[in-house]
């Protein structure tokens, strides 16, 4: 959405923004219907974007950015707006772009989205890299830090205490285990 002019209509901003991103007028003409359909803002596409909600603005900006077939896509909290249907559509589009070989820089506070979309996660705290690693492990530590104030050392201590407290003596081990999934 960088480069959107609030006085221009959604249509005008699509043409301006897509041209800034390197598309020709003909390429934009060919992709406009897909962009408008993805944004799904109806007749608002013909109104100035200054009249849009923040969600409508992001919908249109995301639709343009993902329809230029980028080599690098930066998504900064774009999925924090919109309904679940739009978020799911965006996740599918990001996966499609990634599968075509593009690099994705996905900025989010949503552990679920990071685990679903990322092969690597970097946790920034006050603008400094706190950790870098596998999304699932990093998100567990992030959640423990944010909600419980636990750092890595405290995480390790709590895990060891839970293992010790919940360990079964050999003679009292359950006779059957049920696998309830990952």
């Amino acid at each position: 959405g960088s480069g959107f002019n609030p006085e221009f209509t959604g249509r005008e901003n699509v043409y301006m923004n897509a041209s800034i991103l390197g598309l020709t007028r003909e390429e934009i003409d060919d992709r406009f219907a897909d962009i408008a359909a993805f944004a799904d803002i109806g007749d608002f596409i013909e109104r100035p974007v200054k009249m849009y909600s923040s969600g409508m603005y992001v919908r249109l900006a995301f639709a343009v950015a993902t329809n230029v077939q980028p080599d690098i896509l930066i998504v900064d909290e774009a999925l924090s707006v919109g309904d679940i249907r739009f978020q799911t559509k965006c996740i599918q589009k990001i996966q499609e772009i990634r599968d075509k070989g593009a690099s994705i820089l996905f900025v989010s506070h949503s552990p679920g989205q990071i685990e679903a979309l990322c092969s690597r996660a970097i946790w920034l705290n006050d603008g400094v890299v706190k950790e870098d690693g596998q999304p699932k492990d990093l998100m567990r530590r992030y959640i423990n830090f944010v909600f419980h104030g636990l750092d890595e050392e405290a995480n390790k201590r709590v895990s060891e205490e839970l293992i010790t407290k919940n360990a079964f003596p050999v003679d009292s081990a359950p006779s059957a285990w049920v696998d309830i999934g990952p």
Side-chain angles (χ1 to χ4, degrees):
S2 61
F4 273 16
N5 182 326
E7 300 298 327
F8 288 5
T9 66
R11 178 182 298 274
E12 292 166 331
N13 273 295
V14 166
Y15 276 87
M16 182 180 67
N17 199 253
S19 65
I20 290 170
L21 295 172
L23 295 184
T24 65
R25 174 86 182 184
E26 295 76 28
E27 290 172 320
I28 302 167
D29 288 341
D30 291 342
R31 297 177 193 182
F32 184 81
D34 290 337
I35 292 168
F38 192 93
D40 194 21
I41 59 172
D43 292 337
F44 276 91
I45 196 97
E46 304 303 342
R47 296 185 184 164
V49 297
K50 69 181 179 183
M51 298 176 70
Y52 289 13
S53 68
S54 59
M56 292 167 65
Y57 190 93
V58 169
R59 282 174 173 263
L60 188 59
F62 188 88
V64 173
T66 57
N67 274 283
V68 298
Q69 299 172 345
D71 293 324
I72 300 171
L73 178 65
I74 300 171
V75 181
D76 186 356
E77 294 290 353
L79 303 185
S80 62
V81 300
D83 58 27
I84 191 69
R85 188 173 141 254
F86 178 72
Q87 291 177 11
T88 301
K89 189 164 58 167
C90 290
I91 289 170
Q92 290 169 343
K93 188 70 165 178
I94 290 169
Q95 289 170 331
E96 175 187 312
I97 291 168
R98 182 193 60 210
D99 292 346
K100 289 181 180 177
S103 296
I104 311 289
L105 176 59
F106 183 74
V107 180
S108 179
H109 289 92
S110 170
Q113 290 175 350
I114 291 171
E115 286 183 40
L117 291 171
C118 302
S119 59
R120 175 180 170 204
I122 299 171
W123 173 5
L124 298 176
N125 190 36
D126 293 328
V128 177
V129 175
K130 182 168 177 64
E131 287 194 51
D132 178 347
Q134 293 299 310
K136 186 174 182 177
D137 298 332
L138 199 66
M139 291 301 93
R140 178 184 51 79
R141 290 191 296 278
Y142 170 76
I143 289 168
N144 281 336
F145 178 79
V146 170
F147 290 107
H148 307 294
L150 300 176
D151 61 12
E152 185 56 30
E153 196 54 42
N155 273 323
K156 186 177 177 184
R157 249 188 345 273
V158 168
S159 294
E160 288 170 359
E161 287 173 18
L162 287 173
I163 290 168
T164 303
K165 281 183 182 177
N166 293 317
F168 292 101
V170 175
D171 60 344
S172 68
S175 58
W177 294 92
V178 177
D179 183 3
I180 59 171

